[in-house]
Amino acid sequence: MGLTLDNCFSLMFVIFILLLPSLCFSQDYYVSSRATYYGSPDCLGTPTGACGYKAYGSTINGGEVSGVSRLFKNGTGCGACYQVRCKSPKHCSENGVKVVVTDHGEGDNTDFILSTRAYNKLALPGLAEALFSYGVVDVEYKRIPCQYSGYNLMFKVHEHSRFPDYLSLIPIYQAGVSEITAVEIWQEDCQEWVCMRRAYGAVWDMPNPPRGQPEGAINVRIQVTGSSGSKWVQLKNLIPSAWKVGAAYDTSIQLD
């Protein structure tokens, strides 16, 4: 029996749904959009971005960072890396610039609000001034893996934390294209994992956190979502029981 038009449509829909996760995370194609820029005295990023990265967010990737609109994804998009290039051959470099998402922002129908340093790299040498004069340019972008040579994934104790009553964590140097979609802490006395709350951006928090295991450290596990679905990764003894505000603790791993 041959396939009807309805059968073919249903089959194509099922195939699309099966391929959707890989399309979202392993993006080999460019998407058309628009980009603008924001000014800063040092041409770097901003330490007040919606992702909560503070000073890290202004200097990561050499300050070539971006605020995004819909790609922010309620904070899940924080730390993602994109290749962005403008589309006017007269002014634009072939490869454009790699940016890291550190903020949320809305522009004139733009997906990207680039730091001045990142916007400058969209242009061919000597043509940046002309590109800046446009204010908003047509671009195309794709998701690419983040790479941080010499760094593992770390969890930093956010500056808003107050030992020992309130713990706030933020992942930094997160490589690959996977996204952290949940963070939990082991509660020894109850023998269960307790969810941290996504406070905002990439910041996870918990009031009255566990005080650590008998060996003096707190176990953490993270849910990681990528092209192959979701999985839990356990980080044993990651946070010392006497944790310090501002300290960054090395996970000794890196995400895909």
Side-chain angles (χ1 to χ4, degrees), residues 222-242:
I222 56 176
Q223 186 179 50
V224 179
T225 302
S227 59
S228 58
S230 296
K231 64 179 180 180
W232 286 96
V233 178
Q234 188 167 337
L235 309 170
K236 293 185 177 181
N237 303 326
L238 177 64
I239 309 296
S241 57

PDB file of all heavy atoms in Angstrom, residues 222-242:
ATOM      1  N   ILE A 222      23.919  18.499  38.681  1.00  0.00           N
ATOM      2  CA  ILE A 222      23.333  19.399  37.693  1.00  0.00           C
ATOM      3  C   ILE A 222      22.666  18.584  36.598  1.00  0.00           C
ATOM      4  O   ILE A 222      23.131  17.499  36.231  1.00  0.00           O
ATOM      5  CB  ILE A 222      24.393  20.342  37.086  1.00  0.00           C
ATOM      6  CG1 ILE A 222      25.546  19.546  36.473  1.00  0.00           C
ATOM      7  CG2 ILE A 222      24.907  21.302  38.134  1.00  0.00           C
ATOM      8  CD1 ILE A 222      26.594  20.409  35.778  1.00  0.00           C
ATOM      9  N   GLN A 223      21.550  19.095  36.117  1.00  0.00           N
ATOM     10  CA  GLN A 223      20.899  18.492  34.956  1.00  0.00           C
ATOM     11  C   GLN A 223      21.390  19.229  33.721  1.00  0.00           C
ATOM     12  O   GLN A 223      21.295  20.456  33.626  1.00  0.00           O
ATOM     13  CB  GLN A 223      19.384  18.603  35.055  1.00  0.00           C
ATOM     14  CG  GLN A 223      18.644  17.865  33.941  1.00  0.00           C
ATOM     15  CD  GLN A 223      17.141  17.978  34.078  1.00  0.00           C
ATOM     16  OE1 GLN A 223      16.616  19.082  34.247  1.00  0.00           O
ATOM     17  NE2 GLN A 223      16.446  16.854  34.035  1.00  0.00           N
ATOM     18  N   VAL A 224      21.922  18.464  32.783  1.00  0.00           N
ATOM     19  CA  VAL A 224      22.515  19.025  31.573  1.00  0.00           C
ATOM     20  C   VAL A 224      21.685  18.587  30.380  1.00  0.00           C
ATOM     21  O   VAL A 224      21.423  17.388  30.204  1.00  0.00           O
ATOM     22  CB  VAL A 224      23.975  18.555  31.408  1.00  0.00           C
ATOM     23  CG1 VAL A 224      24.579  19.118  30.138  1.00  0.00           C
ATOM     24  CG2 VAL A 224      24.800  18.957  32.629  1.00  0.00           C
ATOM     25  N   THR A 225      21.272  19.533  29.558  1.00  0.00           N
ATOM     26  CA  THR A 225      20.462  19.240  28.387  1.00  0.00           C
ATOM     27  C   THR A 225      21.236  19.596  27.130  1.00  0.00           C
ATOM     28  O   THR A 225      21.780  20.703  27.013  1.00  0.00           O
ATOM     29  CB  THR A 225      19.142  20.038  28.427  1.00  0.00           C
ATOM     30  OG1 THR A 225      18.434  19.706  29.619  1.00  0.00           O
ATOM     31  CG2 THR A 225      18.278  19.707  27.218  1.00  0.00           C
ATOM     32  N   GLY A 226      21.297  18.631  26.206  1.00  0.00           N
ATOM     33  CA  GLY A 226      22.016  18.842  24.948  1.00  0.00           C
ATOM     34  C   GLY A 226      21.345  18.108  23.818  1.00  0.00           C
ATOM     35  O   GLY A 226      20.181  17.722  23.903  1.00  0.00           O
ATOM     36  N   SER A 227      22.090  17.878  22.747  1.00  0.00           N
ATOM     37  CA  SER A 227      21.523  17.261  21.553  1.00  0.00           C
ATOM     38  C   SER A 227      21.059  15.830  21.794  1.00  0.00           C
ATOM     39  O   SER A 227      20.183  15.327  21.095  1.00  0.00           O
ATOM     40  CB  SER A 227      22.548  17.288  20.419  1.00  0.00           C
ATOM     41  OG  SER A 227      23.726  16.591  20.798  1.00  0.00           O
ATOM     42  N   SER A 228      21.637  15.159  22.785  1.00  0.00           N
ATOM     43  CA  SER A 228      21.263  13.773  23.064  1.00  0.00           C
ATOM     44  C   SER A 228      20.249  13.661  24.200  1.00  0.00           C
ATOM     45  O   SER A 228      20.011  12.574  24.719  1.00  0.00           O
ATOM     46  CB  SER A 228      22.512  12.954  23.401  1.00  0.00           C
ATOM     47  OG  SER A 228      23.197  13.505  24.516  1.00  0.00           O
ATOM     48  N   GLY A 229      19.661  14.786  24.611  1.00  0.00           N
ATOM     49  CA  GLY A 229      18.678  14.766  25.685  1.00  0.00           C
ATOM     50  C   GLY A 229      19.246  15.292  26.991  1.00  0.00           C
ATOM     51  O   GLY A 229      20.244  16.018  26.994  1.00  0.00           O
ATOM     52  N   SER A 230      18.626  14.910  28.093  1.00  0.00           N
ATOM     53  CA  SER A 230      19.040  15.398  29.410  1.00  0.00           C
ATOM     54  C   SER A 230      19.706  14.299  30.224  1.00  0.00           C
ATOM     55  O   SER A 230      19.360  13.124  30.094  1.00  0.00           O
ATOM     56  CB  SER A 230      17.830  15.939  30.187  1.00  0.00           C
ATOM     57  OG  SER A 230      17.281  17.067  29.536  1.00  0.00           O
ATOM     58  N   LYS A 231      20.658  14.701  31.063  1.00  0.00           N
ATOM     59  CA  LYS A 231      21.309  13.764  31.976  1.00  0.00           C
ATOM     60  C   LYS A 231      21.705  14.518  33.236  1.00  0.00           C
ATOM     61  O   LYS A 231      21.822  15.745  33.245  1.00  0.00           O
ATOM     62  CB  LYS A 231      22.540  13.129  31.327  1.00  0.00           C
ATOM     63  CG  LYS A 231      23.649  14.123  30.995  1.00  0.00           C
ATOM     64  CD  LYS A 231      24.859  13.428  30.369  1.00  0.00           C
ATOM     65  CE  LYS A 231      25.964  14.445  30.040  1.00  0.00           C
ATOM     66  NZ  LYS A 231      27.151  13.790  29.429  1.00  0.00           N
ATOM     67  N   TRP A 232      21.888  13.752  34.316  1.00  0.00           N
ATOM     68  CA  TRP A 232      22.344  14.329  35.585  1.00  0.00           C
ATOM     69  C   TRP A 232      23.827  14.062  35.750  1.00  0.00           C
ATOM     70  O   TRP A 232      24.304  12.952  35.479  1.00  0.00           O
ATOM     71  CB  TRP A 232      21.579  13.734  36.751  1.00  0.00           C
ATOM     72  CG  TRP A 232      20.177  14.241  36.856  1.00  0.00           C
ATOM     73  CD1 TRP A 232      19.046  13.656  36.366  1.00  0.00           C
ATOM     74  CD2 TRP A 232      19.750  15.458  37.481  1.00  0.00           C
ATOM     75  NE1 TRP A 232      17.943  14.426  36.649  1.00  0.00           N
ATOM     76  CE2 TRP A 232      18.340  15.534  37.333  1.00  0.00           C
ATOM     77  CE3 TRP A 232      20.415  16.494  38.145  1.00  0.00           C
ATOM     78  CZ2 TRP A 232      17.603  16.605  37.833  1.00  0.00           C
ATOM     79  CZ3 TRP A 232      19.670  17.557  38.647  1.00  0.00           C
ATOM     80  CH2 TRP A 232      18.285  17.598  38.490  1.00  0.00           C
ATOM     81  N   VAL A 233      24.565  15.071  36.179  1.00  0.00           N
ATOM     82  CA  VAL A 233      26.001  14.957  36.433  1.00  0.00           C
ATOM     83  C   VAL A 233      26.236  15.293  37.896  1.00  0.00           C
ATOM     84  O   VAL A 233      25.877  16.389  38.356  1.00  0.00           O
ATOM     85  CB  VAL A 233      26.811  15.908  35.539  1.00  0.00           C
ATOM     86  CG1 VAL A 233      28.299  15.809  35.870  1.00  0.00           C
ATOM     87  CG2 VAL A 233      26.565  15.603  34.065  1.00  0.00           C
ATOM     88  N   GLN A 234      26.819  14.363  38.647  1.00  0.00           N
ATOM     89  CA  GLN A 234      27.045  14.582  40.075  1.00  0.00           C
ATOM     90  C   GLN A 234      28.433  15.149  40.311  1.00  0.00           C
ATOM     91  O   GLN A 234      29.427  14.685  39.741  1.00  0.00           O
ATOM     92  CB  GLN A 234      26.875  13.283  40.851  1.00  0.00           C
ATOM     93  CG  GLN A 234      26.905  13.479  42.364  1.00  0.00           C
ATOM     94  CD  GLN A 234      26.419  12.263  43.120  1.00  0.00           C
ATOM     95  OE1 GLN A 234      25.675  11.449  42.580  1.00  0.00           O
ATOM     96  NE2 GLN A 234      26.837  12.129  44.370  1.00  0.00           N
ATOM     97  N   LEU A 235      28.500  16.169  41.164  1.00  0.00           N
ATOM     98  CA  LEU A 235      29.748  16.853  41.505  1.00  0.00           C
ATOM     99  C   LEU A 235      29.992  16.656  42.996  1.00  0.00           C
ATOM    100  O   LEU A 235      29.511  17.427  43.827  1.00  0.00           O
ATOM    101  CB  LEU A 235      29.643  18.336  41.151  1.00  0.00           C
ATOM    102  CG  LEU A 235      29.163  18.645  39.720  1.00  0.00           C
ATOM    103  CD1 LEU A 235      28.864  20.133  39.562  1.00  0.00           C
ATOM    104  CD2 LEU A 235      30.186  18.185  38.695  1.00  0.00           C
ATOM    105  N   LYS A 236      30.725  15.607  43.324  1.00  0.00           N
ATOM    106  CA  LYS A 236      30.904  15.242  44.722  1.00  0.00           C
ATOM    107  C   LYS A 236      31.854  16.207  45.421  1.00  0.00           C
ATOM    108  O   LYS A 236      32.882  16.603  44.872  1.00  0.00           O
ATOM    109  CB  LYS A 236      31.434  13.809  44.828  1.00  0.00           C
ATOM    110  CG  LYS A 236      30.430  12.753  44.372  1.00  0.00           C
ATOM    111  CD  LYS A 236      30.969  11.356  44.607  1.00  0.00           C
ATOM    112  CE  LYS A 236      29.942  10.294  44.231  1.00  0.00           C
ATOM    113  NZ  LYS A 236      30.450   8.917  44.468  1.00  0.00           N
ATOM    114  N   ASN A 237      31.480  16.552  46.661  1.00  0.00           N
ATOM    115  CA  ASN A 237      32.330  17.395  47.524  1.00  0.00           C
ATOM    116  C   ASN A 237      32.746  18.695  46.831  1.00  0.00           C
ATOM    117  O   ASN A 237      33.875  19.153  46.988  1.00  0.00           O
ATOM    118  CB  ASN A 237      33.581  16.616  47.963  1.00  0.00           C
ATOM    119  CG  ASN A 237      33.240  15.324  48.669  1.00  0.00           C
ATOM    120  OD1 ASN A 237      32.245  15.238  49.378  1.00  0.00           O
ATOM    121  ND2 ASN A 237      34.059  14.303  48.460  1.00  0.00           N
ATOM    122  N   LEU A 238      31.825  19.284  46.079  1.00  0.00           N
ATOM    123  CA  LEU A 238      32.178  20.468  45.297  1.00  0.00           C
ATOM    124  C   LEU A 238      32.333  21.713  46.160  1.00  0.00           C
ATOM    125  O   LEU A 238      33.306  22.455  46.025  1.00  0.00           O
ATOM    126  CB  LEU A 238      31.117  20.720  44.217  1.00  0.00           C
ATOM    127  CG  LEU A 238      31.332  21.974  43.371  1.00  0.00           C
ATOM    128  CD1 LEU A 238      32.621  21.852  42.567  1.00  0.00           C
ATOM    129  CD2 LEU A 238      30.136  22.226  42.458  1.00  0.00           C
ATOM    130  N   ILE A 239      31.381  21.941  47.063  1.00  0.00           N
ATOM    131  CA  ILE A 239      31.364  23.184  47.842  1.00  0.00           C
ATOM    132  C   ILE A 239      31.793  22.895  49.280  1.00  0.00           C
ATOM    133  O   ILE A 239      31.147  22.110  49.970  1.00  0.00           O
ATOM    134  CB  ILE A 239      29.955  23.811  47.854  1.00  0.00           C
ATOM    135  CG1 ILE A 239      29.405  23.942  46.428  1.00  0.00           C
ATOM    136  CG2 ILE A 239      29.983  25.165  48.560  1.00  0.00           C
ATOM    137  CD1 ILE A 239      30.180  24.881  45.549  1.00  0.00           C
ATOM    138  N   PRO A 240      32.875  23.491  49.766  1.00  0.00           N
ATOM    139  CA  PRO A 240      33.276  23.276  51.165  1.00  0.00           C
ATOM    140  C   PRO A 240      32.176  23.729  52.119  1.00  0.00           C
ATOM    141  O   PRO A 240      31.428  24.667  51.821  1.00  0.00           O
ATOM    142  CB  PRO A 240      34.530  24.145  51.312  1.00  0.00           C
ATOM    143  CG  PRO A 240      34.997  24.416  49.923  1.00  0.00           C
ATOM    144  CD  PRO A 240      33.782  24.410  49.059  1.00  0.00           C
ATOM    145  N   SER A 241      32.082  23.075  53.259  1.00  0.00           N
ATOM    146  CA  SER A 241      31.056  23.472  54.229  1.00  0.00           C
ATOM    147  C   SER A 241      31.293  24.898  54.727  1.00  0.00           C
ATOM    148  O   SER A 241      30.354  25.612  55.061  1.00  0.00           O
ATOM    149  CB  SER A 241      31.039  22.501  55.414  1.00  0.00           C
ATOM    150  OG  SER A 241      32.308  22.442  56.016  1.00  0.00           O
ATOM    151  N   ALA A 242      32.545  25.331  54.741  1.00  0.00           N
ATOM    152  CA  ALA A 242      32.872  26.710  55.126  1.00  0.00           C
ATOM    153  C   ALA A 242      33.122  27.534  53.860  1.00  0.00           C
ATOM    154  O   ALA A 242      34.171  28.149  53.684  1.00  0.00           O
ATOM    155  CB  ALA A 242      34.092  26.740  56.033  1.00  0.00           C
TER     156      ALA A 242
END
